[in-house]
Amino acid sequence: MSSRNVVADIPDDVRIHAKKVRHPMRMLAAVVLLLLVVGIIIDGAGREAYDWAAFGTYIFDPRIVQAAGVTIQLTVYSMVIAIALGVLLAVMRQSPNKILGYISWVFIWIFRGTPVYVQLVFWGLFTVIYKTINVGIPGMEPWWSFGTADVLGLFWIAVIGLALNEAAYMAEIVRAGLLAVDSGQVEAATALGMNWRRTMGKVVLPQAMRVIIPPTGNEVISMLKTTSLVTAVPFSLDLYTRSRDISSETLNPIPLLLVASVWYLVITSILMVGQHFLERRFSRGHVRRVSRSAGGAEKSQGVTKLIKTVPAFGADTGENGDRR
Amino acid sequence: MSELMVRADRVHKVFGRNHVLRGVSMEVKAGEVACLLGPSGSGKSTFLRCINHLETIEGGRIYVDGDLIGYREQGEHLRELTEKELAEQRQDIGMVFQRFNLFPHMTALENIVCSPMTVKREGRVKATQFAKELLEQVGLGEKANAYPSELSGGQQQRVAIARALAMRPKLMLFDEPTSALDPELVGEVLDVMKGLAESGMTMIVVTHEMGFAREVADTVTFMDGGVVVEHGTPEQVLVNPQEARTKEFLSKVL
């Protein structure tokens, strides 16, 4: 718990007070870049094309605020579906059943291997390609039948299109997280009588989360911006498409580009704060709280580090252990 | 005290083309401490892991407290147990690992209450009370809220022992419990195991601690090349070994 300055304990006659090395070139580079940035800001503030008055008019325009809400909804819904599907695909990849593994692999291959824009155009045409969906046995009267266009609005087509693409990436992220958990953890849980579901839920996934969350945060932020492609569906109520539509009326596109950019930046920043707290929650047990005397803490660190860096022992290789 | 807790009958284990166990038979009476010794690759750890079916076996039978492990006899045939049935068998068999395998995202106390609460559906109050008693018993009463990364190797292993005991097992398996420890931390773990042996727990211990084997074990089994080479009291196996391979091994480790 001690946070006091231990350097003060060093006797004055041996304590080092050395002059720092100077780095004039670094200093110069910093000053030049700073001047450049200030120049760009001053220039941008006065430049007519940016039309800051129009920016002020539209930044809180009800249509823009509503579009920002739609963009957040697109992001949240598609990420929730993508994460759930990604976990399923990752677990399928690990399954002892080969067929489940191959199906997962093919899904990832297709949805990661084609551009998301192309996929969104395809899903936009989905209701044309498959006008009705029949549930039942082929060749017999369907038990249940519905028109796709009645059920799937453009918003949900956009969500599904984004989610299926993202699920392929999430599957790989989740798989990396599962692989990062030491196999001894599964053994310990199994030996304690936990079944597979409890082992996953209580032991493996909480530890995998530490590895999964940072790249997932990236994916959420990336998804927020990818929603601007839903115009391919064509869905037009998201932030970017909406601001384009407004600017096509006003014939003044640049301020609206800035408006959309500022909204994207603000939402991204909020997401980054959320990610920070999630990461802290799932780093439990990994951030060391020093609570003992300095010597003891150091010793235990040495031991834990040693254990973590020793490659996994096989079932029967401990012969070089301590002997008496 | 004379009833059998573990009966292994001609157990075979194959990893790919590697015949690791070649007919291992062993009996451990209730309340006994059995030490398994042997050189690297002798199959002693593998055999231990077969007892709670962490490894499947390809031949022979293992019974714990009269129950066939891993399978059910249906007339002439054996049927594999379901995941649920296996989990139930394992609840009665505690296991302590060489590398502790504590759950790093849980405190010492959470590690101990985790399986009684999720598997046996014990209430939090009851589970916590028993966990605290166990922590006292292994000498770590004040470390209940420490995370594994904040504990020394010896402390982690003692928590791991308490975690296994929390399921109130009939049998405890120790897989080289002190091999990953700094030399000065070995004693504290062995002391806890000694106390456990004195309390009457049936234990099978794979170890290189000859002092522990001589002092605490009721029987010592020496394995090499996937077979039992010599079996007897510590006196018989460690002091007056009959087999050449046993003598050779002991001359190297003592």
Side-chain angles (χ1 to χ4, degrees):
Chain A
M1 300 283 179
S2 75
S3 56
R4 91 204 148 81
N5 189 2
V6 187
V7 179
D9 294 347
I10 301 169
D12 265 340
D13 53 331
V14 292
R15 175 121 177 240
I16 293 173
H17 297 277
K19 283 225 158 37
K20 298 261 181 280
V21 177
R22 304 231 172 261
H23 297 280
M25 288 311 285
R26 279 184 213 167
M27 215 43 209
L28 184 69
V31 169
V32 168
L33 280 178
L34 189 65
L35 287 175
L36 214 59
V37 169
V38 170
I40 290 170
I41 291 173
I42 291 171
D43 173 81
R47 200 165 274 269
E48 221 168 290
Y50 290 141
D51 196 350
W52 292 106
F55 175 88
T57 313
Y58 286 107
I59 186 78
F60 294 119
D61 185 291
R63 288 171 295 179
I64 291 290
V65 175
Q66 196 194 18
V70 171
T71 284
I72 291 173
Q73 282 180 31
L74 280 171
T75 307
V76 170
Y77 293 150
S78 55
M79 276 314 290
V80 167
I81 297 171
I83 289 169
L85 195 55
V87 170
L88 183 71
L89 287 165
V91 172
M92 276 168 69
R93 271 301 280 281
Q94 314 277 68
S95 167
N97 186 319
K98 286 274 194 312
I99 294 171
L100 292 179
Y102 289 141
I103 290 173
S104 168
W105 186 88
V106 168
F107 181 99
I108 294 168
W109 179 61
I110 290 173
F111 282 92
R112 205 175 54 168
T114 55
V116 62
Y117 192 88
V118 174
Q119 289 175 30
L120 286 170
V121 173
F122 175 84
W123 293 115
L125 298 169
F126 183 79
T127 52
V128 181
I129 305 169
Y130 303 95
K131 286 198 176 64
T132 56
I133 289 180
N134 301 323
V135 182
I137 298 164
M140 287 173 63
E141 191 70 14
W143 303 326
W144 187 42
S145 179
F146 59 89
T148 50
D150 307 333
V151 180
L152 286 172
L154 287 177
F155 175 81
W156 287 105
I157 286 176
V159 166
I160 290 169
L162 292 169
L164 290 179
N165 175 257
E166 182 58 32
Y169 290 93
M170 283 309 304
E172 292 295 275
I173 290 170
V174 173
R175 195 165 71 100
L178 295 179
L179 290 176
V181 179
D182 185 86
S183 62
Q185 295 289 308
V186 177
E187 283 189 356
T190 308
L192 284 165
M194 290 191 205
N195 59 21
W196 183 86
R197 208 169 48 85
R198 288 194 184 111
T199 302
M200 277 288 153
K202 291 271 173 191
V203 177
V204 176
L205 275 177
Q207 292 183 63
M209 288 304 266
R210 208 173 55 86
V211 178
I212 292 172
I213 285 174
T216 304
N218 275 343
E219 293 298 311
V220 175
I221 288 167
S222 165
M223 175 61 83
L224 178 77
K225 295 171 296 175
T226 308
T227 56
S228 63
L229 297 181
V230 293
T231 180
V233 167
F235 178 75
S236 59
L237 297 177
D238 72 291
L239 186 50
Y240 175 68
T241 316
R242 205 71 203 272
S243 50
R244 285 274 302 226
D245 288 351
I246 294 172
S247 65
S248 67
E249 290 166 17
T250 61
L251 301 176
N252 192 6
I254 294 166
L256 277 148
L257 269 182
L258 294 172
V259 164
S261 299
V262 166
W263 273 99
Y264 281 119
L265 261 178
V266 167
I267 301 170
T268 303
S269 309
I270 295 168
L271 290 173
M272 283 164 69
V273 174
Q275 181 181 356
H276 168 78
F277 283 103
L278 266 182
E279 278 180 27
R280 209 167 62 171
R281 170 68 183 78
F282 283 100
S283 69
R284 244 161 54 101
H286 279 271
V287 181
R288 223 166 255 126
R289 306 169 303 178
V290 179
S291 58
R292 272 164 301 128
S293 64
E298 241 167 57
K299 181 167 293 169
S300 86
Q301 267 185 17
V303 171
T304 20
K305 267 188 197 147
L306 176 77
I307 291 157
K308 277 180 188 150
T309 50
V310 167
F313 282 108
D316 206 4
T317 55
E319 298 302 317
N320 46 1
D322 332 302
R323 290 162 190 154
R324 293 200 154 168
Chain B
M1 285 297 273
S2 64
E3 67 183 284
L4 280 183
M5 181 55 80
V6 179
R7 184 160 73 85
D9 183 20
R10 288 163 293 164
V11 172
H12 286 260
K13 171 70 199 172
V14 177
F15 283 122
R17 308 169 88 180
N18 201 358
H19 201 159
V20 184
L21 299 178
R22 299 161 177 266
V24 176
S25 296
M26 187 180 179
E27 294 187 344
V28 181
K29 296 195 183 92
E32 263 187 1
V33 176
C35 276
L36 269 174
L37 309 178
S40 183
S42 61
K44 55 194 189 307
S45 283
T46 305
F47 176 64
L48 196 75
R49 293 158 59 83
C50 291
I51 297 175
N52 65 354
H53 210 65
L54 275 186
E55 306 284 356
T56 56
I57 58 177
E58 278 74 39
R61 303 275 192 279
I62 297 175
Y63 297 89
V64 172
D65 205 19
D67 291 332
L68 179 62
I69 294 294
Y71 304 93
R72 169 171 298 154
E73 268 162 314
Q74 283 184 330
E76 297 274 290
H77 300 282
L78 286 186
R79 188 176 66 81
E80 285 182 0
L81 292 185
T82 64
E83 193 201 357
K84 187 165 172 262
E85 292 165 328
L86 283 173
E88 273 165 22
Q89 284 191 333
R90 290 185 181 119
Q91 289 174 31
D92 292 334
I93 307 172
M95 188 161 197
V96 175
F97 298 87
Q98 182 178 0
R99 292 187 304 132
F100 329 136
N101 296 349
L102 287 181
F103 305 135
H105 58 302
M106 301 181 194
T107 63
L109 190 74
E110 288 168 344
N111 262 281
I112 299 170
V113 298
C114 179
S115 48
M117 283 178 56
T118 58
V119 178
K120 287 193 166 176
R121 306 230 167 263
E122 272 181 31
R124 177 174 290 279
V125 177
K126 190 182 161 208
T128 305
Q129 194 191 351
F130 187 43
K132 285 186 171 157
E133 283 170 30
L134 287 169
L135 276 174
E136 289 293 339
Q137 202 179 314
V138 299
L140 292 171
E142 79 286 11
K143 294 289 184 192
N145 294 318
Y147 283 98
S149 59
E150 297 162 345
L151 299 172
S152 75
Q155 290 171 332
Q156 287 188 58
Q157 193 60 298
R158 287 188 276 155
V159 173
I161 293 172
R163 179 177 67 174
L165 291 174
M167 294 295 282
R168 303 174 202 267
K170 299 187 252 190
L171 168 70
M172 284 285 284
L173 308 174
F174 293 85
D175 187 5
E176 304 195 23
T178 57
S179 294
L181 294 177
D182 285 352
E184 79 270 23
L185 303 175
V186 168
E188 61 190 65
V189 172
L190 292 182
D191 285 343
V192 167
M193 290 168 62
K194 221 176 283 179
L196 195 57
E198 280 159 12
S199 75
M201 176 63 74
T202 313
M203 296 162 58
I204 302 181
V205 185
V206 172
T207 188
H208 301 286
E209 297 296 331
M210 295 301 155
F212 178 83
R214 201 173 309 155
E215 193 185 336
V216 181
D218 295 296
T219 65
V220 172
T221 304
F222 175 72
M223 282 179 68
D224 192 15
V227 294
V228 172
V229 175
E230 201 159 354
H231 172 82
T233 64
E235 176 80 9
Q236 286 167 337
V237 178
L238 299 177
V239 185
N240 297 307
Q242 302 300 307
E243 299 288 331
R245 271 189 288 177
T246 318
K247 286 178 192 167
E248 191 197 336
F249 175 75
L250 291 174
S251 71
K252 282 182 190 161
V253 293
L254 286 179

